Amino acid sequence: MTRPAIALLLSAALFSTAHGRTFAEIKASGTLRIATNAEFKPFTYFEGKTMKGFEYDLGNAIARQMGLKAQWINQPFDSLLIGLNQNRFDLVISSHGITPERLKAVDFTAPHYCSGGLIVTRPGGPKTAAALKGMTVATQVGTTYVAQIEKVAGARNVRVYPNNTDALQALMSGRVDAMVNEKFYGLEALRRSGGRLVQGSMLFQERLGMAVAKGNTGLLGAVNGALRTVQGNGTYAKLSRAYFGQDVRCK
Ligand code: ARG
């Protein structure tokens, strides 16, 4: 191999590490690698060995719109954005709130839905932000809920769990007073609890976006374009109604 060729290869490798695969590289491969934390019904979750959910269907629709096949990777929630910048996947779709802090590390698409954090408790437990003061509250590690709970319950009362199933279990078994989680995840948990859990109020609102590696503007533009298309042609509305009974896009 010639010296310029080696130099080119090296810089291409470096470029890939810093910015993720370019859209041209992804197109050439034919596959969009999408990572998520798939224990988050109804967004991404497993039924047996099959991944399902609103974000799963939306991600597939977006990939299809870009002329690509989606390849899904299931990861712990708190390793998703790190993995992006290590170029282990191209896109993260996992209900990430778009925050100034995260924007320092990754780039976000336009929000793919709007939602927020819901308080869920047992009968007789704290149902409002004010009532959470001094109460123990469970949530998932690395989420936007942690800081919001700290504000109302006090930092030492937050109980973080590696995944939501554990946070929910802590609430069901009485080890914590309440749980704060994504609104639709909480409503799903309520439905399945057979009256053992009750719904509290919304703690805060947020805009949820898909993430690409910092500086991957080509891919970001392509995903935003595909999102606009599926939001315009009825695909998004149909999925949203099927999963939530309403259109969850940001107004
Ligand atoms: N919306 C919250 C956040 O931005 C939680 C997202 C959790 N997602 C998941 N797939 N477990 O941090």
Side-chain angles (χ1 to χ4, degrees):
M1 206 184 290
T2 64
R3 241 163 216 272
I6 291 171
L8 202 71
L9 209 71
L10 274 176
S11 69
L14 283 176
F15 189 80
S16 284
T17 314
H19 301 278
R21 294 197 299 167
T22 64
F23 186 44
E25 287 169 334
I26 295 168
K27 276 241 132 178
S29 80
T31 303
L32 183 65
R33 302 169 305 169
I34 310 178
T36 191
N37 177 219
E39 47 108 24
F40 205 46
K41 194 174 181 180
F43 294 97
T44 52
Y45 60 97
F46 277 98
E47 233 172 65
K49 286 190 170 150
T50 317
M51 205 190 284
K52 294 195 166 168
F54 173 68
E55 288 182 312
Y56 177 73
D57 288 349
L58 182 62
N60 285 336
I62 283 170
R64 200 174 314 121
Q65 187 58 42
M66 291 160 71
L68 299 167
K69 195 179 159 320
Q71 180 203 331
W72 287 86
I73 299 141
N74 182 27
Q75 292 267 314
F77 182 72
D78 64 347
S79 73
L80 288 169
L81 300 186
I82 301 163
L84 252 190
N85 285 329
Q86 293 170 340
N87 195 16
R88 284 170 32 222
F89 23 82
D90 307 306
L91 184 67
V92 167
I93 310 183
S94 206
S95 289
H96 279 86
I98 302 172
T99 66
E101 199 187 22
R102 285 175 178 163
L103 278 167
K104 287 182 201 151
V106 297
D107 285 337
F108 278 104
T109 62
H112 61 291
Y113 74 101
C114 268
S115 186
L118 176 72
I119 302 169
V120 176
T121 186
R122 291 183 308 275
K127 288 167 78 169
T128 62
L132 285 183
K133 190 162 193 253
M135 297 280 171
T136 52
V137 187
T139 201
Q140 184 179 29
V141 69
T143 62
T144 48
Y145 312 127
V146 177
Q148 300 290 336
I149 297 168
E150 283 180 357
K151 273 192 216 161
V152 291
R156 76 157 99 91
N157 292 316
V158 186
R159 301 284 179 273
V160 291
Y161 295 86
N163 47 58
N164 286 308
T165 317
D166 299 333
L168 183 60
Q169 200 44 51
L171 175 63
M172 300 284 276
S173 62
R175 275 176 285 139
V176 294
D177 299 308
M179 173 181 81
V180 170
N181 215 313
E182 162 37 57
K183 176 170 82 180
F184 294 102
Y185 177 83
L187 292 177
E188 178 75 33
L190 279 167
R191 258 196 302 279
R192 279 181 292 164
S193 79
R196 290 200 289 153
L197 296 178
V198 295
Q199 183 177 348
S201 49
M202 292 294 290
L203 189 57
F204 73 110
Q205 308 282 335
E206 64 179 352
R207 289 147 36 97
L208 300 299
M210 302 174 262
V212 301
K214 190 91 203 142
N216 197 345
T217 47
L219 176 60
L220 189 67
V223 175
N224 273 327
L227 175 64
R228 270 196 304 278
T229 302
V230 299
Q231 284 193 326
N233 69 11
T235 305
Y236 180 98
K238 196 171 155 199
L239 283 180
S240 181
R241 274 199 301 273
Y243 281 101
F244 310 112
Q246 60 183 275
D247 196 313
V248 294
R249 81 182 73 194
C250 299
K251 307 279 178 324

